[in-house]
Amino acid sequence: MTEPPTRKQIHQQWMRRALEIASQPPDTTYQENAAHDVPVGALVLDENGRELAAERNRREAGADPTAHAEILALRAAAAKRKEWRLTGCTLVVTLEPCTMCAGALVLARIDTLVFGAWEPKTGAVGSLWDVVRDRRLNHRPEVYAGVLEAECSALMRGFFDR
């Protein structure tokens, strides 16, 4: 008999999917700046682990300061569910969310956040701030940090080395 996968194995599987999204070449058909988008991938999974949305950063491509992978994935998941409350859902992202994204995932009522690489300059899940665990807020997701951290960090380093 095969043992069921552990939570760690499930998180790693999801993070591999987020890395796949982040690693996809940007669509530069309509926007030449798309090649300058930082390769961050995010996905939202429902309570049964089914993928509701998968997005990558598109700030440069869309000339939109809010087009972070997390925000785009939250918007797409909410549209799919026809509900802004994403209770029971998990957000998986290759990079520690910034203040905007951390605030959005709290407001969306995401139950679980899984992220890969730490972001010491703008991270809002423990690096610079800790928005998601602020006791003054009415919702605090469960957080799993550093999932496939080496792979997620390598993707970022490779981008910035170019």
Side-chain angles (χ1 to χ4, degrees), residues 128-144:
L128 193 56
W129 295 287
D130 201 347
V131 171
V132 300
R133 293 186 196 99
D134 191 317
R135 296 229 173 260
R136 296 169 291 186
L137 298 175
N138 65 345
H139 180 76
R140 287 181 298 282
E142 192 171 6
V143 176
Y144 296 91

Side-chain angles (χ1 to χ4, degrees), residues 33-158:
N33 289 339
H36 300 294
D37 271 315
V38 177
V40 176
L43 55 134
V44 176
L45 302 137
D46 70 10
E47 43 279 311
N48 297 311
R50 289 185 303 249
E51 188 176 297
L52 293 173
E55 292 286 346
R56 68 185 319 270
N57 268 358
R58 287 192 273 147
R59 285 191 320 171
E60 300 296 336
D64 179 354
T66 68
H68 290 204
E70 302 96 306
I71 298 295
L72 298 173
L74 291 171
R75 286 178 185 160
K80 189 166 192 174
R81 284 179 66 154
K82 297 178 177 43
E83 169 70 50
W84 66 264
R85 288 178 193 87
L86 297 175
T87 307
C89 292
T90 298
L91 174 66
V92 179
V93 61
T94 57
L95 186 66
E96 178 184 5
C98 69
T99 308
M100 173 181 69
C101 295
L105 72 93
V106 167
L107 292 173
R109 309 296 193 271
I110 289 288
D111 280 5
T112 306
L113 168 65
V114 177
F115 75 86
W118 292 92
E119 174 42 287
K121 294 180 181 176
T122 62
V125 188
S127 286
L128 193 56
W129 295 287
D130 201 347
V131 171
V132 300
R133 293 186 196 99
D134 191 317
R135 296 229 173 260
R136 296 169 291 186
L137 298 175
N138 65 345
H139 180 76
R140 287 181 298 282
E142 192 171 6
V143 176
Y144 296 91
V147 176
L148 299 183
E149 182 177 2
E151 292 92 328
C152 294
S153 295
L155 180 65
M156 297 299 291
R157 271 193 313 279

